[in-house]
Amino acid sequence: MSHLRLVAPAPEHRDGFLALVAEARAAGEDAYLWDYHDDYLRYLRETSALSRGEDLAPGMVPCDVLFLVDRDDRGAPRAGPLPVLGFARVRHRLNERLEEYGGHIGYYVTKSVRGRGLGTAILRLALARTAELGLASVLVTCDADNLGSVRVLEKNGAVRESEGRSPKDGAKLLRWSVRIGPPAMST
Ligand SMILES: CC(C)(COP(=O)(O)OP(=O)(O)OC[C@H]1O[C@@H](n2cnc3c(N)ncnc32)[C@H](O)[C@@H]1OP(=O)(O)O)[C@@H](O)C(=O)NCCC(=O)NCCS
């Protein structure tokens, strides 16, 4: 049985993440990896500090960078590195810029594994993380022509709130909200 999870980047994910990076670059999607500078140990340090809100650069807010992995709970030994299927960014709060563009959550699924429900799953898991953070309502923005992302948002119960323009290229932007329930009680 497969178990999709969002986990904090760790040394064991290095090879899986580097494979994701190589695939993203080959697909011309490097822009989603703006915070990775070809040094995985540095990336671990920086993402860990960011999640704790330490050493924040101007304009940055505390943010969890989380990897999507599929963990087999039978504990079977794995051949090869654990694939990193995608990643999410879960920002703990908004600032003026994120209110306009970016919102609380960003997500990315590796190109070769798209169209299998992973986009829907990664947003569901990221929303669960926002519940742990105590957020009551979450903002997500996406380009209007990003039909995959629009569908992922609809399938997660997001409601279209407003439209705007991307500050990057002026493209039409959609703003969505998702109401967050309290985190499930563990027994
Ligand atoms: C957007 C993204 C996360 C979707 O991931 P995915 O794994 O393909 O998503 P799913 O498999 O869960 O698909 C969800 C729905 O979207 C539809 N869909 C996916 N890609 C689509 C596309 N390019 N055009 C139209 N519909 C699409 C699927 O058919 C599915 O709908 P259905 O259940 O009604 O059949 C992925 O394409 C991606 O990472 N893109 C680059 C990063 C990005 O755009 N992030 C979002 C920024 S707001």
Side-chain angles (χ1 to χ4, degrees):
M1 189 175 164
S2 83
H3 279 281
L4 291 170
R5 285 165 204 214
L6 281 178
V7 296
E12 62 175 344
H13 304 121
R14 179 181 176 277
D15 291 351
F17 180 68
L18 295 190
L20 177 153
V21 170
E23 198 177 323
R25 287 179 177 166
E29 295 184 340
D30 332 28
Y32 291 102
L33 292 160
W34 54 270
D35 53 355
Y36 179 64
H37 307 287
D38 288 308
D39 179 342
Y40 189 67
L41 285 180
R42 173 180 166 189
Y43 186 67
L44 290 183
R45 279 196 306 276
E46 290 180 351
T47 52
S48 167
L50 186 61
S51 73
R52 294 190 302 272
E54 292 172 9
D55 305 327
L56 290 176
M60 297 293 283
V61 299
C63 170
D64 298 336
V65 176
L66 299 165
F67 287 167
L68 182 68
V69 295
D70 188 351
R71 193 147 271 167
D72 183 326
D73 68 342
R74 289 168 304 180
R78 294 192 54 84
L82 182 65
V84 175
L85 303 168
F87 61 86
R89 297 192 179 98
V90 180
R91 292 175 269 270
H92 299 196
R93 61 171 187 262
L94 299 177
N95 58 22
E96 209 173 309
R97 180 177 55 93
L98 291 166
E99 295 264 9
E100 285 302 307
Y101 178 76
H104 286 99
I105 298 177
Y107 42 91
Y108 180 91
V109 172
T110 305
K111 196 156 188 175
S112 58
V113 293
R114 289 181 192 164
R116 302 182 194 171
L118 294 176
T120 307
I122 200 169
L123 179 57
R124 175 175 50 80
L125 293 165
L127 289 168
R129 175 66 186 132
T130 65
E132 290 172 1
L133 291 168
L135 299 183
S137 176
V138 161
L139 173 76
V140 185
T141 70
C142 80
D143 287 356
D145 64 1
N146 190 340
L147 301 183
S149 192
V150 165
R151 198 66 198 111
V152 161
L153 281 152
E154 289 171 346
K155 292 182 79 175
N156 275 284
V159 175
R160 261 176 75 164
E161 294 289 350
S162 62
E163 294 178 4
R165 291 276 159 197
S166 162
K168 294 201 168 141
D169 55 9
K172 186 173 163 186
L173 191 76
L174 304 178
R175 290 198 193 84
W176 304 74
S177 70
V178 188
R179 289 201 63 77
I180 307 298
M185 297 280 283
S186 55
T187 49

